[in-house]
Amino acid sequence: MANRVSVVGERWPLFWAGCVAIGAGVLLHLPMLAMAHTMGNHLTGMPMDAWMYLGMALIAIGVPAAIIGALPKHRPNHDASAGTTFEAPDDTPLTRSHAAVLLVLTLGLIIDTMKPATLGFVLPGMRGEYGIAKSTAALLPFVALAGTTVGSFIWGWLADIYGRRVSILLSTILFVSTSICGAMPSYGWNLVMCFLMGCSAGGMLPVVYTLLAEVMPPRHRSWVLVLVGGTGLVGGYLAASGAAHLFEPLFGWRSLWLQGFPTGLLLLALARWIPESPRFLLERGLHAELADMTRKFGIVRRARPAASADAPPPATNQRELTAALVITALSWSFVNFGLLLWLPTDLQDRGFSAELASGIIASSALVALPTIMIAAWLYSRWSSKWTLIGTVLLTLAGLAGALLPAATLAWPPLLVAVIALLVVGTNGLIAVLLPYAAENYALAVRGRATGLIAASSKFGGVAVQLGAFAGLIPTLGGAAVALILPMGLSAALIARAGRETRGRSLRELEAAAQP
């Protein structure tokens, strides 16, 4: 087994047996959904039939089997790779293997983003079927965002202990198993399954960034990280809206949750194109696969260079940088899940028409992809550090504009300009924040550190929903007052503690991060 090229590892039969059990368990929920389709797609009050109970039992057996099957028999010995670094030479070109990885991991990010994006589309149908109030329905996005926050920590930790690919595969399998959320007959069970679905999907984002940073050639790493991440985010929202348009009118809101089943299976089918970080291949004795990495990706063992003489003290610098990125992520999450999420409601309360509110949402989608393209170009061609700071300052300018007197902001062109600054700033900020985090931490903690930043970027949604339960709905001016100081502080901290990563190898960056 030491020389075997394997997708999972020594216990691959158990992993795939668990996957089959999970797939069969999900399929056994479909007869009840088919029956509900003849009755207006409603399951409320219907008792679960024997097939559903059998399906849940198979999933309960399959999930632990898949987890045990994916994990190696012995915990990787990280001492075996101490002082060893792997990276492709600077002049390594992109190959078909790189292209395959980019396509598969972009698909993974699209699938990951679809779930939180789907929340807004299922809520109206769910409220109508269960007959629940808005305050009760708000529990769904709350538990979903709480799940993604928890998942970011869990999968980041798992990726640092057992490997990047293991973390992605297990996240995918749990994502498939929780697609039965669409078959739950009660709202309480929907909340439970939605939390677990959030946990399973929450770790995909930081682990994908971490893996891409480790397998891409240095000169292509920066633009690939930003472009793939941004495309995955935008693609997820477009996929969620497209699925809602195609399937919800005919099959109801429940069908949107079931998308996790075929999309998750597709990602598993493409698992052979997901590489493992070379460090974990060495620690597990998978020398054949390590040699395959050299052939396909040009990755070889390379000496770790000494840290730059002008680098600040590593421990102090890393603490300050972590504080800066966490504050930035938290501030972004409050702007995105607080101010922008409730912005249409605030505008209508100000007397603007619903058409204008809808137009703002549409403009957000239109500027998202161009903003990401520009951010990717600036990040890779100009400066990674100052591109991140620039997106923070754009968001800060939007917040400052929101502090203008209400009478002044009532002029539509000025209001649109302020909102455009917020939209462009936040879209650019999230596109570069996680790539920058993935580049700035040592290999041993890269997954956990990126997971911490990812979790911080979602925690604001949890806090905003808690405030909404208490009737504290964010307004444009109120949110600006609360966020302008932490957003400004984050820009100052990044300017002080941030490092320039453009054009620098991970070996050099990691050497500078070592205490």
Side-chain angles (χ1 to χ4, degrees), residues 226-253:
V226 177
L227 192 60
V228 168
T231 302
L233 291 170
V234 174
Y237 282 100
L238 292 177
S241 59
H245 177 73
L246 290 174
F247 301 124
E248 189 173 11
L250 182 60
F251 299 105
W253 61 271

Side-chain angles (χ1 to χ4, degrees), residues 53-145:
Y53 280 115
L54 177 59
M56 294 181 76
L58 285 174
I59 292 173
I61 294 170
V63 167
I67 293 173
I68 295 172
L71 296 178
K73 289 183 179 179
H74 305 287
R75 182 168 171 168
N77 178 18
H78 297 321
D79 292 336
S81 62
T84 303
T85 62
F86 293 87
E87 194 170 46
D90 294 349
D91 58 352
T92 302
L94 291 179
T95 65
R96 285 184 296 178
S97 296
H98 290 109
V101 172
L102 294 179
L103 290 174
V104 174
L105 294 185
T106 299
L107 174 64
L109 290 182
I110 289 174
I111 294 170
D112 176 72
T113 307
M114 282 177 66
K115 288 300 105 179
T118 299
L119 287 170
F121 296 105
V122 303
L123 280 174
M126 182 179 286
R127 286 187 59 212
E129 178 172 345
Y130 292 123
I132 54 179
K134 284 185 178 180
S135 58
T136 304
L139 285 170
L140 190 74
F142 170 74
V143 299
L145 290 169

